[in-house]
Amino acid sequence: MPQALDPVTQHHVNQAAERLADEFTGVFSRETIARYMAESQDLLGEARINVFVPVLAHRFTRERLKALAQADGTLAKEQPEVLFVCVHNAGRSQMAAGLVKLRSLGRIHVRSAGSTPAGEINPAAIEAMEELGIDMSEEFPKPLTDEVVRAADVVITMGCGDACPIYPGKRYEDWERKDLETVRRIRDEIDRRVEQLIGELIPESPPSAG
């Protein structure tokens, strides 16, 4: 079990839970939000620097609650939802998520997760994405949870084996490529696939009649 947080950090965690309670008023009870916040802290593991705990727990819990509400139909989807899953959520799935955000111009909502998340994102992946102008400095590896799979329209696995739960009627793809030897080649291959995926999820509007 993770160590108990110091009083100051715990106070900030409680404040983060209050903000979520305000945001999800009428959708989730305060008890549900508190439970998800505590569970998210456990899933994220013991942070090396306690000051980051409230921020990461808030962001992770917020995404989980949004996904849960979407999956249950209490929160409408305004965009297609894509989930990328790899083992550590520290390289391929993070790069794919960043590329979808860039190439779709915000028209697709994307999440990423790992079956066994690492402690931090691979610095080589961050550097490779910076070459395309994508800032991943505030991203962090996240555990795979059931509600984000349920909320996704498309689940794309990238070498995580059988860790991802399967739901009937949901679209699944496997983008595992064992012959990619460098981070740049992985990035460029993912980028090509991202462009294809965006074209399928958001077809270009036909030209209007003159």
PDB file of all heavy atoms in Angstrom, residues 47-79:
ATOM      1  N   ALA A  47       4.190   8.671  -5.597  1.00  0.00           N
ATOM      2  CA  ALA A  47       4.952   9.665  -6.359  1.00  0.00           C
ATOM      3  C   ALA A  47       6.281   9.941  -5.680  1.00  0.00           C
ATOM      4  O   ALA A  47       6.382   9.938  -4.461  1.00  0.00           O
ATOM      5  CB  ALA A  47       4.154  10.959  -6.485  1.00  0.00           C
ATOM      6  N   ARG A  48       7.279  10.202  -6.512  1.00  0.00           N
ATOM      7  CA  ARG A  48       8.594  10.507  -5.938  1.00  0.00           C
ATOM      8  C   ARG A  48       8.605  11.862  -5.260  1.00  0.00           C
ATOM      9  O   ARG A  48       9.354  12.088  -4.314  1.00  0.00           O
ATOM     10  CB  ARG A  48       9.653  10.471  -7.049  1.00  0.00           C
ATOM     11  CG  ARG A  48       9.935   9.070  -7.580  1.00  0.00           C
ATOM     12  CD  ARG A  48      10.793   9.123  -8.825  1.00  0.00           C
ATOM     13  NE  ARG A  48      10.091   9.788  -9.922  1.00  0.00           N
ATOM     14  CZ  ARG A  48      10.629  10.031 -11.096  1.00  0.00           C
ATOM     15  NH1 ARG A  48      11.880   9.676 -11.336  1.00  0.00           N
ATOM     16  NH2 ARG A  48       9.945  10.633 -12.042  1.00  0.00           N
ATOM     17  N   ILE A  49       7.773  12.781  -5.763  1.00  0.00           N
ATOM     18  CA  ILE A  49       7.685  14.111  -5.163  1.00  0.00           C
ATOM     19  C   ILE A  49       6.222  14.362  -4.832  1.00  0.00           C
ATOM     20  O   ILE A  49       5.385  14.458  -5.728  1.00  0.00           O
ATOM     21  CB  ILE A  49       8.210  15.199  -6.127  1.00  0.00           C
ATOM     22  CG1 ILE A  49       9.645  14.869  -6.557  1.00  0.00           C
ATOM     23  CG2 ILE A  49       8.160  16.572  -5.469  1.00  0.00           C
ATOM     24  CD1 ILE A  49      10.213  15.820  -7.590  1.00  0.00           C
ATOM     25  N   ASN A  50       5.910  14.456  -3.558  1.00  0.00           N
ATOM     26  CA  ASN A  50       4.518  14.529  -3.137  1.00  0.00           C
ATOM     27  C   ASN A  50       3.758  15.697  -3.731  1.00  0.00           C
ATOM     28  O   ASN A  50       2.540  15.643  -3.880  1.00  0.00           O
ATOM     29  CB  ASN A  50       4.432  14.608  -1.604  1.00  0.00           C
ATOM     30  CG  ASN A  50       4.351  13.221  -0.989  1.00  0.00           C
ATOM     31  OD1 ASN A  50       4.369  12.220  -1.685  1.00  0.00           O
ATOM     32  ND2 ASN A  50       4.268  13.162   0.324  1.00  0.00           N
ATOM     33  N   VAL A  51       4.462  16.776  -4.098  1.00  0.00           N
ATOM     34  CA  VAL A  51       3.770  17.948  -4.621  1.00  0.00           C
ATOM     35  C   VAL A  51       3.004  17.632  -5.903  1.00  0.00           C
ATOM     36  O   VAL A  51       2.020  18.278  -6.227  1.00  0.00           O
ATOM     37  CB  VAL A  51       4.764  19.111  -4.851  1.00  0.00           C
ATOM     38  CG1 VAL A  51       5.692  18.812  -6.022  1.00  0.00           C
ATOM     39  CG2 VAL A  51       4.028  20.419  -5.077  1.00  0.00           C
ATOM     40  N   PHE A  52       3.438  16.591  -6.634  1.00  0.00           N
ATOM     41  CA  PHE A  52       2.760  16.228  -7.873  1.00  0.00           C
ATOM     42  C   PHE A  52       1.517  15.374  -7.649  1.00  0.00           C
ATOM     43  O   PHE A  52       0.708  15.223  -8.556  1.00  0.00           O
ATOM     44  CB  PHE A  52       3.711  15.473  -8.805  1.00  0.00           C
ATOM     45  CG  PHE A  52       4.829  16.319  -9.333  1.00  0.00           C
ATOM     46  CD1 PHE A  52       6.138  15.853  -9.323  1.00  0.00           C
ATOM     47  CD2 PHE A  52       4.581  17.575  -9.848  1.00  0.00           C
ATOM     48  CE1 PHE A  52       7.177  16.640  -9.809  1.00  0.00           C
ATOM     49  CE2 PHE A  52       5.607  18.370 -10.346  1.00  0.00           C
ATOM     50  CZ  PHE A  52       6.912  17.897 -10.314  1.00  0.00           C
ATOM     51  N   VAL A  53       1.361  14.799  -6.475  1.00  0.00           N
ATOM     52  CA  VAL A  53       0.262  13.870  -6.225  1.00  0.00           C
ATOM     53  C   VAL A  53      -1.105  14.498  -6.483  1.00  0.00           C
ATOM     54  O   VAL A  53      -1.923  13.932  -7.212  1.00  0.00           O
ATOM     55  CB  VAL A  53       0.340  13.287  -4.795  1.00  0.00           C
ATOM     56  CG1 VAL A  53      -0.905  12.469  -4.482  1.00  0.00           C
ATOM     57  CG2 VAL A  53       1.580  12.435  -4.640  1.00  0.00           C
ATOM     58  N   PRO A  54      -1.427  15.681  -5.917  1.00  0.00           N
ATOM     59  CA  PRO A  54      -2.758  16.253  -6.165  1.00  0.00           C
ATOM     60  C   PRO A  54      -3.028  16.524  -7.643  1.00  0.00           C
ATOM     61  O   PRO A  54      -4.139  16.291  -8.130  1.00  0.00           O
ATOM     62  CB  PRO A  54      -2.736  17.564  -5.356  1.00  0.00           C
ATOM     63  CG  PRO A  54      -1.691  17.352  -4.319  1.00  0.00           C
ATOM     64  CD  PRO A  54      -0.651  16.494  -4.978  1.00  0.00           C
ATOM     65  N   VAL A  55      -2.013  17.013  -8.370  1.00  0.00           N
ATOM     66  CA  VAL A  55      -2.194  17.352  -9.785  1.00  0.00           C
ATOM     67  C   VAL A  55      -2.459  16.095 -10.612  1.00  0.00           C
ATOM     68  O   VAL A  55      -3.424  16.036 -11.390  1.00  0.00           O
ATOM     69  CB  VAL A  55      -0.955  18.097 -10.324  1.00  0.00           C
ATOM     70  CG1 VAL A  55      -1.089  18.337 -11.821  1.00  0.00           C
ATOM     71  CG2 VAL A  55      -0.755  19.402  -9.582  1.00  0.00           C
ATOM     72  N   LEU A  56      -1.619  15.077 -10.436  1.00  0.00           N
ATOM     73  CA  LEU A  56      -1.774  13.859 -11.225  1.00  0.00           C
ATOM     74  C   LEU A  56      -3.047  13.113 -10.847  1.00  0.00           C
ATOM     75  O   LEU A  56      -3.756  12.601 -11.716  1.00  0.00           O
ATOM     76  CB  LEU A  56      -0.551  12.956 -11.040  1.00  0.00           C
ATOM     77  CG  LEU A  56       0.792  13.541 -11.467  1.00  0.00           C
ATOM     78  CD1 LEU A  56       1.890  12.484 -11.363  1.00  0.00           C
ATOM     79  CD2 LEU A  56       0.734  14.095 -12.885  1.00  0.00           C
ATOM     80  N   ALA A  57      -3.329  13.031  -9.552  1.00  0.00           N
ATOM     81  CA  ALA A  57      -4.542  12.341  -9.109  1.00  0.00           C
ATOM     82  C   ALA A  57      -5.788  13.037  -9.645  1.00  0.00           C
ATOM     83  O   ALA A  57      -6.745  12.383 -10.071  1.00  0.00           O
ATOM     84  CB  ALA A  57      -4.581  12.267  -7.587  1.00  0.00           C
ATOM     85  N   HIS A  58      -5.776  14.373  -9.647  1.00  0.00           N
ATOM     86  CA  HIS A  58      -6.915  15.131 -10.172  1.00  0.00           C
ATOM     87  C   HIS A  58      -7.098  14.860 -11.663  1.00  0.00           C
ATOM     88  O   HIS A  58      -8.213  14.570 -12.125  1.00  0.00           O
ATOM     89  CB  HIS A  58      -6.708  16.624  -9.923  1.00  0.00           C
ATOM     90  CG  HIS A  58      -7.776  17.494 -10.509  1.00  0.00           C
ATOM     91  ND1 HIS A  58      -7.694  18.006 -11.794  1.00  0.00           N
ATOM     92  CD2 HIS A  58      -8.952  17.933 -10.005  1.00  0.00           C
ATOM     93  CE1 HIS A  58      -8.773  18.720 -12.047  1.00  0.00           C
ATOM     94  NE2 HIS A  58      -9.560  18.697 -10.979  1.00  0.00           N
ATOM     95  N   ARG A  59      -6.027  14.940 -12.433  1.00  0.00           N
ATOM     96  CA  ARG A  59      -6.126  14.745 -13.881  1.00  0.00           C
ATOM     97  C   ARG A  59      -6.562  13.326 -14.220  1.00  0.00           C
ATOM     98  O   ARG A  59      -7.414  13.115 -15.097  1.00  0.00           O
ATOM     99  CB  ARG A  59      -4.779  15.060 -14.537  1.00  0.00           C
ATOM    100  CG  ARG A  59      -4.432  16.543 -14.528  1.00  0.00           C
ATOM    101  CD  ARG A  59      -3.028  16.791 -15.031  1.00  0.00           C
ATOM    102  NE  ARG A  59      -2.830  16.284 -16.387  1.00  0.00           N
ATOM    103  CZ  ARG A  59      -1.651  16.224 -16.993  1.00  0.00           C
ATOM    104  NH1 ARG A  59      -0.566  16.648 -16.354  1.00  0.00           N
ATOM    105  NH2 ARG A  59      -1.548  15.758 -18.215  1.00  0.00           N
ATOM    106  N   PHE A  60      -5.979  12.347 -13.540  1.00  0.00           N
ATOM    107  CA  PHE A  60      -6.304  10.949 -13.817  1.00  0.00           C
ATOM    108  C   PHE A  60      -7.747  10.642 -13.412  1.00  0.00           C
ATOM    109  O   PHE A  60      -8.498  10.012 -14.166  1.00  0.00           O
ATOM    110  CB  PHE A  60      -5.328  10.043 -13.068  1.00  0.00           C
ATOM    111  CG  PHE A  60      -5.497   8.579 -13.346  1.00  0.00           C
ATOM    112  CD1 PHE A  60      -5.756   8.112 -14.626  1.00  0.00           C
ATOM    113  CD2 PHE A  60      -5.374   7.650 -12.319  1.00  0.00           C
ATOM    114  CE1 PHE A  60      -5.898   6.757 -14.877  1.00  0.00           C
ATOM    115  CE2 PHE A  60      -5.515   6.294 -12.560  1.00  0.00           C
ATOM    116  CZ  PHE A  60      -5.784   5.840 -13.835  1.00  0.00           C
ATOM    117  N   THR A  61      -8.159  11.113 -12.248  1.00  0.00           N
ATOM    118  CA  THR A  61      -9.524  10.871 -11.787  1.00  0.00           C
ATOM    119  C   THR A  61     -10.523  11.557 -12.704  1.00  0.00           C
ATOM    120  O   THR A  61     -11.579  10.986 -13.032  1.00  0.00           O
ATOM    121  CB  THR A  61      -9.702  11.379 -10.348  1.00  0.00           C
ATOM    122  OG1 THR A  61      -8.749  10.743  -9.494  1.00  0.00           O
ATOM    123  CG2 THR A  61     -11.105  11.076  -9.830  1.00  0.00           C
ATOM    124  N   ARG A  62     -10.229  12.767 -13.140  1.00  0.00           N
ATOM    125  CA  ARG A  62     -11.150  13.496 -14.019  1.00  0.00           C
ATOM    126  C   ARG A  62     -11.370  12.738 -15.319  1.00  0.00           C
ATOM    127  O   ARG A  62     -12.509  12.609 -15.797  1.00  0.00           O
ATOM    128  CB  ARG A  62     -10.587  14.891 -14.303  1.00  0.00           C
ATOM    129  CG  ARG A  62     -11.516  15.780 -15.125  1.00  0.00           C
ATOM    130  CD  ARG A  62     -10.959  17.195 -15.238  1.00  0.00           C
ATOM    131  NE  ARG A  62     -11.904  18.070 -15.901  1.00  0.00           N
ATOM    132  CZ  ARG A  62     -11.930  18.268 -17.219  1.00  0.00           C
ATOM    133  NH1 ARG A  62     -11.053  17.642 -18.007  1.00  0.00           N
ATOM    134  NH2 ARG A  62     -12.818  19.093 -17.751  1.00  0.00           N
ATOM    135  N   GLU A  63     -10.305  12.220 -15.915  1.00  0.00           N
ATOM    136  CA  GLU A  63     -10.452  11.463 -17.155  1.00  0.00           C
ATOM    137  C   GLU A  63     -11.253  10.188 -16.924  1.00  0.00           C
ATOM    138  O   GLU A  63     -12.087   9.800 -17.746  1.00  0.00           O
ATOM    139  CB  GLU A  63      -9.078  11.122 -17.735  1.00  0.00           C
ATOM    140  CG  GLU A  63      -8.476  12.216 -18.591  1.00  0.00           C
ATOM    141  CD  GLU A  63      -9.355  12.568 -19.791  1.00  0.00           C
ATOM    142  OE1 GLU A  63      -9.790  11.653 -20.517  1.00  0.00           O
ATOM    143  OE2 GLU A  63      -9.635  13.754 -19.989  1.00  0.00           O
ATOM    144  N   ARG A  64     -11.014   9.530 -15.791  1.00  0.00           N
ATOM    145  CA  ARG A  64     -11.754   8.301 -15.487  1.00  0.00           C
ATOM    146  C   ARG A  64     -13.237   8.586 -15.292  1.00  0.00           C
ATOM    147  O   ARG A  64     -14.098   7.841 -15.766  1.00  0.00           O
ATOM    148  CB  ARG A  64     -11.177   7.635 -14.239  1.00  0.00           C
ATOM    149  CG  ARG A  64      -9.749   7.104 -14.404  1.00  0.00           C
ATOM    150  CD  ARG A  64      -9.304   6.401 -13.134  1.00  0.00           C
ATOM    151  NE  ARG A  64     -10.116   5.214 -12.903  1.00  0.00           N
ATOM    152  CZ  ARG A  64     -10.274   4.646 -11.707  1.00  0.00           C
ATOM    153  NH1 ARG A  64      -9.708   5.184 -10.642  1.00  0.00           N
ATOM    154  NH2 ARG A  64     -11.016   3.562 -11.576  1.00  0.00           N
ATOM    155  N   LEU A  65     -13.562   9.660 -14.590  1.00  0.00           N
ATOM    156  CA  LEU A  65     -14.963  10.010 -14.356  1.00  0.00           C
ATOM    157  C   LEU A  65     -15.663  10.391 -15.663  1.00  0.00           C
ATOM    158  O   LEU A  65     -16.817  10.011 -15.902  1.00  0.00           O
ATOM    159  CB  LEU A  65     -15.060  11.144 -13.341  1.00  0.00           C
ATOM    160  CG  LEU A  65     -14.677  10.803 -11.903  1.00  0.00           C
ATOM    161  CD1 LEU A  65     -14.616  12.068 -11.050  1.00  0.00           C
ATOM    162  CD2 LEU A  65     -15.660   9.808 -11.287  1.00  0.00           C
ATOM    163  N   LYS A  66     -14.967  11.152 -16.522  1.00  0.00           N
ATOM    164  CA  LYS A  66     -15.552  11.511 -17.814  1.00  0.00           C
ATOM    165  C   LYS A  66     -15.815  10.259 -18.641  1.00  0.00           C
ATOM    166  O   LYS A  66     -16.870  10.129 -19.264  1.00  0.00           O
ATOM    167  CB  LYS A  66     -14.622  12.455 -18.570  1.00  0.00           C
ATOM    168  CG  LYS A  66     -14.574  13.869 -18.029  1.00  0.00           C
ATOM    169  CD  LYS A  66     -13.626  14.749 -18.826  1.00  0.00           C
ATOM    170  CE  LYS A  66     -14.069  14.919 -20.261  1.00  0.00           C
ATOM    171  NZ  LYS A  66     -13.161  15.823 -21.016  1.00  0.00           N
ATOM    172  N   ALA A  67     -14.852   9.341 -18.630  1.00  0.00           N
ATOM    173  CA  ALA A  67     -15.015   8.105 -19.392  1.00  0.00           C
ATOM    174  C   ALA A  67     -16.174   7.285 -18.831  1.00  0.00           C
ATOM    175  O   ALA A  67     -16.976   6.717 -19.588  1.00  0.00           O
ATOM    176  CB  ALA A  67     -13.726   7.293 -19.357  1.00  0.00           C
ATOM    177  N   LEU A  68     -16.275   7.204 -17.514  1.00  0.00           N
ATOM    178  CA  LEU A  68     -17.357   6.449 -16.890  1.00  0.00           C
ATOM    179  C   LEU A  68     -18.714   7.040 -17.251  1.00  0.00           C
ATOM    180  O   LEU A  68     -19.660   6.311 -17.594  1.00  0.00           O
ATOM    181  CB  LEU A  68     -17.172   6.434 -15.370  1.00  0.00           C
ATOM    182  CG  LEU A  68     -18.237   5.694 -14.561  1.00  0.00           C
ATOM    183  CD1 LEU A  68     -18.281   4.218 -14.937  1.00  0.00           C
ATOM    184  CD2 LEU A  68     -17.971   5.854 -13.057  1.00  0.00           C
ATOM    185  N   ALA A  69     -18.824   8.366 -17.193  1.00  0.00           N
ATOM    186  CA  ALA A  69     -20.084   9.024 -17.531  1.00  0.00           C
ATOM    187  C   ALA A  69     -20.437   8.811 -18.996  1.00  0.00           C
ATOM    188  O   ALA A  69     -21.608   8.606 -19.348  1.00  0.00           O
ATOM    189  CB  ALA A  69     -19.999  10.518 -17.206  1.00  0.00           C
ATOM    190  N   GLN A  70     -19.444   8.841 -19.874  1.00  0.00           N
ATOM    191  CA  GLN A  70     -19.694   8.590 -21.296  1.00  0.00           C
ATOM    192  C   GLN A  70     -20.137   7.151 -21.521  1.00  0.00           C
ATOM    193  O   GLN A  70     -21.064   6.889 -22.287  1.00  0.00           O
ATOM    194  CB  GLN A  70     -18.437   8.889 -22.105  1.00  0.00           C
ATOM    195  CG  GLN A  70     -18.096  10.366 -22.196  1.00  0.00           C
ATOM    196  CD  GLN A  70     -16.756  10.607 -22.862  1.00  0.00           C
ATOM    197  OE1 GLN A  70     -15.888   9.727 -22.867  1.00  0.00           O
ATOM    198  NE2 GLN A  70     -16.572  11.790 -23.415  1.00  0.00           N
ATOM    199  N   ALA A  71     -19.458   6.217 -20.859  1.00  0.00           N
ATOM    200  CA  ALA A  71     -19.788   4.802 -21.030  1.00  0.00           C
ATOM    201  C   ALA A  71     -21.193   4.502 -20.526  1.00  0.00           C
ATOM    202  O   ALA A  71     -21.902   3.670 -21.095  1.00  0.00           O
ATOM    203  CB  ALA A  71     -18.766   3.936 -20.301  1.00  0.00           C
ATOM    204  N   ASP A  72     -21.601   5.189 -19.461  1.00  0.00           N
ATOM    205  CA  ASP A  72     -22.931   4.969 -18.884  1.00  0.00           C
ATOM    206  C   ASP A  72     -24.021   5.793 -19.568  1.00  0.00           C
ATOM    207  O   ASP A  72     -25.203   5.661 -19.242  1.00  0.00           O
ATOM    208  CB  ASP A  72     -22.924   5.301 -17.390  1.00  0.00           C
ATOM    209  CG  ASP A  72     -22.119   4.283 -16.584  1.00  0.00           C
ATOM    210  OD1 ASP A  72     -21.841   3.199 -17.123  1.00  0.00           O
ATOM    211  OD2 ASP A  72     -21.766   4.582 -15.429  1.00  0.00           O
ATOM    212  N   GLY A  73     -23.626   6.690 -20.473  1.00  0.00           N
ATOM    213  CA  GLY A  73     -24.595   7.491 -21.197  1.00  0.00           C
ATOM    214  C   GLY A  73     -25.108   8.706 -20.462  1.00  0.00           C
ATOM    215  O   GLY A  73     -26.053   9.358 -20.918  1.00  0.00           O
ATOM    216  N   THR A  74     -24.477   9.058 -19.333  1.00  0.00           N
ATOM    217  CA  THR A  74     -24.899  10.251 -18.590  1.00  0.00           C
ATOM    218  C   THR A  74     -24.163  11.506 -19.049  1.00  0.00           C
ATOM    219  O   THR A  74     -24.526  12.608 -18.661  1.00  0.00           O
ATOM    220  CB  THR A  74     -24.680  10.059 -17.078  1.00  0.00           C
ATOM    221  OG1 THR A  74     -23.315   9.701 -16.830  1.00  0.00           O
ATOM    222  CG2 THR A  74     -25.579   8.966 -16.541  1.00  0.00           C
ATOM    223  N   LEU A  75     -23.141  11.340 -19.871  1.00  0.00           N
ATOM    224  CA  LEU A  75     -22.408  12.456 -20.453  1.00  0.00           C
ATOM    225  C   LEU A  75     -22.276  12.193 -21.943  1.00  0.00           C
ATOM    226  O   LEU A  75     -21.751  11.156 -22.354  1.00  0.00           O
ATOM    227  CB  LEU A  75     -21.021  12.599 -19.801  1.00  0.00           C
ATOM    228  CG  LEU A  75     -20.183  13.806 -20.208  1.00  0.00           C
ATOM    229  CD1 LEU A  75     -20.849  15.101 -19.763  1.00  0.00           C
ATOM    230  CD2 LEU A  75     -18.779  13.709 -19.618  1.00  0.00           C
ATOM    231  N   ALA A  76     -22.777  13.113 -22.740  1.00  0.00           N
ATOM    232  CA  ALA A  76     -22.777  12.913 -24.191  1.00  0.00           C
ATOM    233  C   ALA A  76     -21.365  13.020 -24.752  1.00  0.00           C
ATOM    234  O   ALA A  76     -20.551  13.808 -24.274  1.00  0.00           O
ATOM    235  CB  ALA A  76     -23.681  13.944 -24.855  1.00  0.00           C
ATOM    236  N   LYS A  77     -21.089  12.223 -25.772  1.00  0.00           N
ATOM    237  CA  LYS A  77     -19.825  12.326 -26.494  1.00  0.00           C
ATOM    238  C   LYS A  77     -19.956  13.406 -27.548  1.00  0.00           C
ATOM    239  O   LYS A  77     -20.873  13.373 -28.370  1.00  0.00           O
ATOM    240  CB  LYS A  77     -19.472  11.005 -27.166  1.00  0.00           C
ATOM    241  CG  LYS A  77     -19.043   9.898 -26.233  1.00  0.00           C
ATOM    242  CD  LYS A  77     -18.623   8.695 -27.054  1.00  0.00           C
ATOM    243  CE  LYS A  77     -18.203   7.537 -26.178  1.00  0.00           C
ATOM    244  NZ  LYS A  77     -17.772   6.365 -26.977  1.00  0.00           N
ATOM    245  N   GLU A  78     -19.046  14.351 -27.534  1.00  0.00           N
ATOM    246  CA  GLU A  78     -19.056  15.409 -28.533  1.00  0.00           C
ATOM    247  C   GLU A  78     -18.086  15.119 -29.676  1.00  0.00           C
ATOM    248  O   GLU A  78     -18.135  15.784 -30.710  1.00  0.00           O
ATOM    249  CB  GLU A  78     -18.694  16.743 -27.874  1.00  0.00           C
ATOM    250  CG  GLU A  78     -19.691  17.171 -26.798  1.00  0.00           C
ATOM    251  CD  GLU A  78     -19.308  18.470 -26.134  1.00  0.00           C
ATOM    252  OE1 GLU A  78     -18.197  18.985 -26.421  1.00  0.00           O
ATOM    253  OE2 GLU A  78     -20.107  18.984 -25.327  1.00  0.00           O
ATOM    254  N   GLN A  79     -17.202  14.146 -29.469  1.00  0.00           N
ATOM    255  CA  GLN A  79     -16.203  13.797 -30.474  1.00  0.00           C
ATOM    256  C   GLN A  79     -16.004  12.291 -30.463  1.00  0.00           C
ATOM    257  O   GLN A  79     -16.322  11.623 -29.471  1.00  0.00           O
ATOM    258  CB  GLN A  79     -14.854  14.471 -30.140  1.00  0.00           C
ATOM    259  CG  GLN A  79     -14.911  15.977 -30.024  1.00  0.00           C
ATOM    260  CD  GLN A  79     -13.635  16.517 -29.382  1.00  0.00           C
ATOM    261  OE1 GLN A  79     -13.224  16.055 -28.323  1.00  0.00           O
ATOM    262  NE2 GLN A  79     -13.024  17.474 -30.037  1.00  0.00           N
TER     263      GLN A  79
END
